[in-house]
Amino acid sequence: MWAREQDVVPHSSEAPPRVVRLALRTMTHTGSYDKAKTVVMAFVAKWHWKETLRLLNIFVGPWAAKAGLGSYHRALKDVGQILEKQPVMRLDGTTLYRLLGHLLHARGGDGKAHATRLVRWFVRRFGAVVLSGQVRHRLCRLGVKMAQV
């Protein structure tokens, strides 16, 4: 029997962060996007930005079969909503890496333009520290993929 939403979503800021992260991972693996978003939004304003960033990095990655430009734009919208609730949050290279993952599955040549804009925005807002080795590798993979299209 599947759990009801109120059984899945912890409503207290007293819930241990590890338990919430594990629940969120399960939701992302099963494709429960709406429930996962409810969990993230419930804890955004209550937790310190660093702990919220860990939730965001789980939530914002590409979802199994739904990756592409549509999921990329939805993930960007979610990141924008979270940044509105916690403007002091500093996104990191992991967030950028996971957002770029959506573009690996994009059809056509649009992914390169979106990736360029996204990386420029991240560097402008959060500094060059977001360009980790992972991010650079993913950018190279995107470049190779776009050259083949």
Side-chain angles (χ1 to χ4, degrees):
M1 179 102 191
W2 293 101
R4 295 176 311 206
E5 184 172 344
Q6 57 264 40
D7 296 335
V8 175
V9 179
H11 291 287
S12 168
S13 61
E14 301 299 318
R18 180 170 159 67
V19 171
V20 176
R21 285 194 309 272
L22 288 173
L24 186 63
R25 267 196 197 98
T26 302
M27 289 176 208
T28 58
H29 289 299
T30 59
S32 304
Y33 171 79
D34 294 328
K35 290 179 183 178
K37 185 172 181 176
T38 304
V39 168
V40 171
M41 291 304 182
F43 288 98
V44 165
K46 296 177 183 172
W47 283 359
H48 188 268
W49 69 267
K50 287 184 180 179
E51 196 58 51
T52 305
L53 179 62
R54 293 177 80 182
L55 284 182
L56 176 67
N57 285 338
I58 295 169
F59 176 67
V60 84
W63 293 59
K66 299 180 181 176
L69 280 180
S71 68
Y72 167 74
H73 289 295
R74 184 177 66 189
L76 274 184
K77 182 180 173 186
D78 294 338
V79 168
Q81 289 173 347
I82 291 171
L83 284 175
E84 283 177 10
K85 288 188 173 194
Q86 268 203 5
V88 297
M89 182 182 286
R90 292 192 46 82
L91 302 181
D92 60 2
T94 304
T95 311
L96 178 56
Y97 174 81
R98 294 187 57 87
L99 284 169
L100 289 171
H102 292 273
L103 297 175
L104 279 176
H105 304 285
R107 294 187 186 143
D110 292 341
K112 187 175 181 180
H114 288 292
T116 303
R117 265 187 264 137
L118 181 66
V119 169
R120 283 183 182 159
W121 181 80
F122 259 77
V123 169
R124 215 176 23 245
R125 177 129 186 213
F126 304 108
V129 71
V130 298
L131 296 176
S132 64
Q134 277 185 317
V135 170
R136 290 170 196 230
H137 183 261
R138 182 146 286 174
L139 285 171
C140 289
R141 282 187 60 199
L142 269 167
V144 168
K145 179 185 184 258
M146 294 305 142
Q148 293 172 353
V149 171

